[in-house]
């Protein structure tokens, strides 16, 4: 796996040379830290240095001071680094403190699908012709399931089928990605029973499903740098065509969208027809969420209501997404890293 060696003179750096460590799981390193990124960053004076996530940081590169560290770690590995010990040695004043992108306690907000979307509700956005909100959702836990029937629970909460069932915790595990579209009460009952099989059930979020033309807008944020791309999503569900049961998202990813005549409209035509949101809306949304969450590296999944083209909904926020999927991601990430080390005011620091 390609990786850059630490600068020969580890005790000195000059104005245009910066040392940035990356504390990432192996799979994330493979996806993000590619030779093209290492080379592009180096040309801009950035040295990307790997951090061993299994031992204290103070024991690694003992004479090296990191200007910035980017991380996406589970709590166990973050604790292994013992970052506070490293910081105490290298000083904690404004001129020498290492910037952490992003602090783990802030990332935790996005690992719960309720607090995640709370961050996107009632944002102070200055928009003329559009609104940005979040879908209505409720949490189903064991207590609620025993006290009420699923029908009463859904109807009493103003939800209407179909709904999207998601595990409450978005912690990166396989189970956290087990999502499904639920069409009726029987499908919901089956989903909850399957969730409870084999032990204690994990809480489930039931989220309002909104027809959105089979297109999701993925907004990638890296500090003040923002880029929006279109991707295929769940197809519209005609209100006059009742369905039953459930449909897993893994199945929908290979699902052929059917048009009104049932003879199959393709995903590409939906993508091609969909107009991108106004750039000002995307940038304002990214700015507001950076300020609300205190985070710098995330993406936002946004849909546009098929019935109201001025109504946008944030349906998911992911920390440190797959930036390598973006065209020319090397410059996107490098420009952000330069902001971190040159202009701390351009980075949310909490």
């Amino acid at each position: 796996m390609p990786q850059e060696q630490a600068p020969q003179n580890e005790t000195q750096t000059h104005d245009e040379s910066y040392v940035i460590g990356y504390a990432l799981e192996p799979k994330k390193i493979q996806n993000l830290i590619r030779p093209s990124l290492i080379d592009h960053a180096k040309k801009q004076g950035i040295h990307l240095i790997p951090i061993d996530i299994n031992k204290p940081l103070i024991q690694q590169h003992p004479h090296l001071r990191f200007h910035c560290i980017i991380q996406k770690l589970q709590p166990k590995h973050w604790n292994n680094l013992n970052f506070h010990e490293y910081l105490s040695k290298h000083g904690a004043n404004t001129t020498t403190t290492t910037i952490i992108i992003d602090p783990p306690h802030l990332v935790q907000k996005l690992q719960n699908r309720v607090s995640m979307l709370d961050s996107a509700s009632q944002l102070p956005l200055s928009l003329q012709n559009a609104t940005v909100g979040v879908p209505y959702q409720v949490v189903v836990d064991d207590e609620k399931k025993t006290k009420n029937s699923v029908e009463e629970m859904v109807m009493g909460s103003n939800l209407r089928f179909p709904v999207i069932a998601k595990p409450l915790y978005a912690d990166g595990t396989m189970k956290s990605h087990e999502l499904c579209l639920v069409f009726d009460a029987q499908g919901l009952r089956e989903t909850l029973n399957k969730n409870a099989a084999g032990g204690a059930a994990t809480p489930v979020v039931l989220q309002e499903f909104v027809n959105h033309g089979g297109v999701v807008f993925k907004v990638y944020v890296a500090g003040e740098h923002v880029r929006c791309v279109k991707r295929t999503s769940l197809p519209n569900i005609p209100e006059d065509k009742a369905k039953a049961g459930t449909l897993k998202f893994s199945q929908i990813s290979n699902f052929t969208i059917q048009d009104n005549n049932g003879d199959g409209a393709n995903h590409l035509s939906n993508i091609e027809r969909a107009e991108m949101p106004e750039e000002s809306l995307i940038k304002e949304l990214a700015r507001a969420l950076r300020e609300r969450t205190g985070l710098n590296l995330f993406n936002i999944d946004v849909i546009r209501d098929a019935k109201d083209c001025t109504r946008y909904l944030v349906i998911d926020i992911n920390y440190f997404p797959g930036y390598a999927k973006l065209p020319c991601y090397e410059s996107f990430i490098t420009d952000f890293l330069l902001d971190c080390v040159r202009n701390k005011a351009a980075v949310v620091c909490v």
Side-chain angles (χ1 to χ4, degrees):
M1 184 178 301
Q3 51 183 243
E4 184 177 346
Q5 298 297 317
Q8 291 296 315
N9 184 358
E10 292 188 321
T11 60
Q12 297 181 6
T13 58
H14 55 79
D15 290 344
E16 295 299 321
S17 180
Y18 306 100
V19 178
I20 294 182
Y22 54 90
L24 305 169
E25 305 282 354
K27 184 177 180 181
K28 190 68 174 179
I29 293 175
Q30 182 179 6
N31 291 337
L32 180 73
I33 312 297
R34 300 179 180 179
S36 58
L37 176 62
I38 293 174
D39 293 343
H40 185 83
K42 192 171 184 178
K43 290 177 183 178
Q44 302 299 317
I46 289 178
H47 301 276
L48 293 172
I49 307 300
I51 293 174
D52 187 337
I53 62 177
N54 294 306
K55 65 180 181 180
L57 183 57
I58 200 74
Q59 298 177 14
Q60 307 178 49
H61 311 293
H63 304 294
L64 181 66
R65 183 180 71 82
F66 292 100
H67 294 86
C68 175
I69 293 175
I70 58 176
Q71 70 87 24
K72 186 177 184 180
L73 297 177
Q74 295 296 325
K76 173 186 175 182
H77 288 139
W78 175 256
N79 292 335
N80 287 343
L81 291 178
N82 200 351
F83 177 74
H84 293 291
E85 181 184 10
Y86 167 84
L87 189 62
S88 66
K89 176 179 178 179
H90 289 275
N93 58 63
T94 56
T95 60
T96 62
T97 295
T98 299
I99 301 172
I100 299 298
I101 307 294
D102 284 299
H105 71 281
L106 298 179
V107 177
Q108 287 179 354
K109 297 177 183 178
L110 301 189
Q111 295 176 344
N112 179 301
R113 287 191 165 96
V114 172
S115 59
M116 172 200 296
L117 291 195
D118 281 348
S119 301
S121 64
Q122 298 181 342
L123 289 173
L125 300 178
S126 301
L127 305 172
Q128 294 182 348
N129 300 317
T131 63
V132 179
V134 299
Y136 189 81
Q137 61 182 23
V138 296
V139 177
V140 182
D141 54 25
D142 286 330
E143 181 180 359
K144 289 181 180 178
K145 282 185 288 183
T146 56
K147 285 185 177 180
N148 304 291
S149 70
V150 289
E151 295 93 340
E152 291 173 339
M153 179 189 62
V154 172
M155 299 303 290
S157 64
N158 295 321
L159 280 176
R160 296 295 181 270
F161 291 111
V163 297
I164 300 174
K166 307 179 179 183
L168 174 63
Y169 302 110
D171 54 9
T173 62
M174 290 295 294
K175 191 172 183 62
S176 70
H177 295 292
E178 294 178 356
L179 318 179
C180 65
L181 188 60
V182 181
F183 295 102
D184 58 9
Q186 180 60 31
L188 179 56
R189 192 177 297 110
E190 293 173 357
T191 298
L192 298 179
N193 289 339
K194 185 180 297 185
N195 176 59
T202 57
V204 174
V205 173
L206 300 180
Q207 187 180 92
E208 170 191 15
F209 176 78
V210 177
N211 279 336
H212 53 281
V215 176
V216 61
F217 303 101
K218 301 187 78 70
V219 182
Y220 289 83
V221 181
E224 294 183 338
H225 303 270
V226 182
R227 193 176 297 176
C228 181
V229 297
K230 296 183 287 188
R231 295 288 186 265
T232 57
S233 180
L234 302 173
N236 285 347
I237 300 174
E239 295 181 1
D240 59 345
K241 293 185 179 180
K243 295 180 181 290
T246 64
L247 190 58
K248 292 184 178 179
F249 276 48
S250 58
Q251 296 170 319
I252 292 178
S253 63
N254 298 314
F255 192 74
T256 300
I257 297 178
Q258 299 295 313
D259 64 17
N260 292 334
N261 296 319
D263 53 5
N266 61 62
H267 289 76
L268 289 179
S269 63
N270 285 331
I271 288 289
E272 292 169 355
R273 289 195 300 264
E275 294 185 6
M276 294 288 284
E278 292 288 339
E279 183 178 3
S280 58
L281 181 149
I282 294 302
K283 288 187 174 181
E284 181 73 0
L285 174 61
R287 178 202 60 76
L289 275 175
R290 285 180 64 227
E291 293 180 357
R292 177 72 63 86
T293 64
L295 298 173
N296 295 280
L297 294 175
F298 57 91
N299 79 345
I300 317 160
D301 287 353
V302 181
I303 60 173
R304 181 166 51 213
D305 191 337
K307 292 183 177 180
D308 181 355
C309 64
T310 67
R311 181 186 181 224
Y312 292 86
L313 297 168
V314 174
I315 59 172
D316 208 3
I317 308 172
N318 303 290
Y319 176 65
F320 210 143
Y323 290 103
K325 298 175 185 177
L326 292 173
C328 303
Y329 88 99
E330 298 88 351
S331 59
F332 187 76
I333 292 298
T334 300
D335 290 346
F336 163 69
L337 295 176
L338 286 172
D339 285 347
C340 292
V341 293
R342 289 178 177 173
N343 179 20
K344 294 182 180 180
V347 178
V348 176
C349 297
V350 178

